[in-house]
Amino acid sequence: MDVSSFVLLSHEQALRRQLDVAANNMANVSTAGYKREQAVFHEYVENAQEAPVQDARKTSYVLDYGQVHDIAQGAFQSTGNPLDVMIEGRGYLNVEMPDGSTGYTRAGFVKVLESGELATSGGQRLLDENGRPIAIPADQLAQVSITADGTVMAGQDPVGRLAVTGFADENMLEARGDGVLTGSGGTVMTAAQTRLRSGGVEASNVEPISETTRMVEVLRSYQVSQRLSADLSDMRRKAIDRLSRIG
């Protein structure tokens, strides 16, 4: 396999990565709080010591560098549940992970467990500013509300405040696949910095038409790459055929 084939192969691997990311975005178009992802690539230039011509000494390949999150806020999606919340602006709700660590989510589906503690729809307990679960008194379970700054009210009494953590670089967070992300370096936002909207959740910020268009573009680029590969194979075959006749 010559250099041109390796270059085409790196290009096709990049296209496959782009297609996988776009397909994952489409699969999460209805996932609350989901942030669209975009693949990132770097150029790798290899300098050869010898080449037929000067311009052929440098060969450019495509390297998969990772992916970034589109942090644009999704639309408000009403749920009818007064406990559900959408974070307006930056930040993530803090949840307790199975191993005791802290996870982060934008999916603000909130429910009250049988123990009286607030939790996400997936059962992860929501944490307060001190990293502790928020418990509702048994006689106040029917009078729970959440204010705009995250304060949890049981009747007229505050019982805690939902912790909302902000990150300087949100692309450092890693998705687990269940709407919860993990990472470090976050700072719990103050009540003045926190803005929650009750009665609904944040919809995914994925735009289906844009993702569908991107998938079509990737497929067309792959078809072009395949044609180039076929043309190169045909060129090699003809060259071998001519050299065999000379011999």
Side-chain angles (χ1 to χ4, degrees):
M1 185 180 292
D2 60 17
V3 173
S4 58
S5 296
F6 282 115
V7 172
L8 282 174
L9 179 59
S10 73
H11 179 234
E12 290 172 3
Q13 288 178 325
L15 291 174
R16 178 177 179 179
R17 174 65 169 159
Q18 285 182 299
L19 188 61
D20 288 343
V21 171
N24 185 61
N25 288 337
M26 286 294 292
N28 286 280
V29 70
S30 299
T31 302
Y34 178 82
K35 298 298 183 183
R36 172 184 170 274
E37 296 180 338
Q38 182 173 342
V40 178
F41 302 97
H42 274 191
E43 180 185 24
Y44 172 73
V45 179
E46 183 179 78
N47 293 302
Q49 295 296 326
E50 298 180 0
V53 294
Q54 182 69 25
D55 291 343
R57 289 191 175 184
K58 291 185 177 181
T59 305
S60 179
Y61 298 91
V62 184
L63 293 182
D64 185 356
Y65 189 70
Q67 59 196 46
V68 296
H69 299 280
D70 178 0
I71 62 175
Q73 183 169 302
F76 178 77
Q77 186 176 33
S78 178
T79 62
N81 178 11
L83 291 183
D84 290 343
V85 293
M86 181 184 90
I87 301 173
E88 295 186 320
R90 69 188 188 95
Y92 294 82
L93 295 172
N94 293 14
V95 299
E96 184 181 56
M97 305 296 288
D99 61 359
S101 62
T102 301
Y104 308 96
T105 184
R106 296 274 300 190
F109 294 108
V110 180
K111 66 179 181 180
V112 181
L113 300 176
E114 292 183 0
S115 61
E117 296 167 322
L118 294 185
T120 66
S121 59
Q124 296 103 344
R125 296 191 297 180
L126 289 160
L127 304 178
D128 64 11
E129 300 166 291
N130 299 310
R132 297 192 296 261
I134 300 174
I136 309 299
D139 59 345
Q140 299 288 338
L141 292 178
Q143 304 180 54
V144 183
S145 62
I146 300 174
T147 65
D149 66 0
T151 300
V152 180
M153 305 293 294
Q156 300 299 317
D157 301 318
V159 294
R161 193 176 79 85
L162 292 173
V164 178
T165 298
F167 293 84
D169 184 4
E170 297 190 14
N171 289 312
M172 298 302 293
L173 293 170
E174 296 183 7
R176 284 164 33 98
D178 57 356
V180 178
L181 299 92
T182 57
S184 59
T187 303
V188 176
M189 300 165 63
T190 65
Q193 295 172 320
T194 303
R195 287 290 179 271
L196 301 183
R197 183 176 177 182
S198 300
V201 296
E202 179 185 10
S204 167
N205 67 354
V206 175
E207 296 181 1
I209 295 178
S210 296
E211 295 302 321
T212 301
T213 301
R214 185 169 292 103
M215 293 175 72
V216 172
E217 291 174 346
V218 169
L219 288 172
R220 287 178 177 172
S221 295
Y222 187 81
Q223 290 171 349
V224 171
S225 181
Q226 287 290 289
R227 285 198 296 269
L228 286 173
S229 180
D231 290 342
L232 286 172
S233 296
D234 187 55
M235 183 177 65
R236 294 190 198 99
R237 182 185 59 77
K238 290 180 179 179
I240 293 173
D241 183 59
R242 290 178 181 177
L243 287 173
S244 64
R245 291 179 183 177
I246 294 175

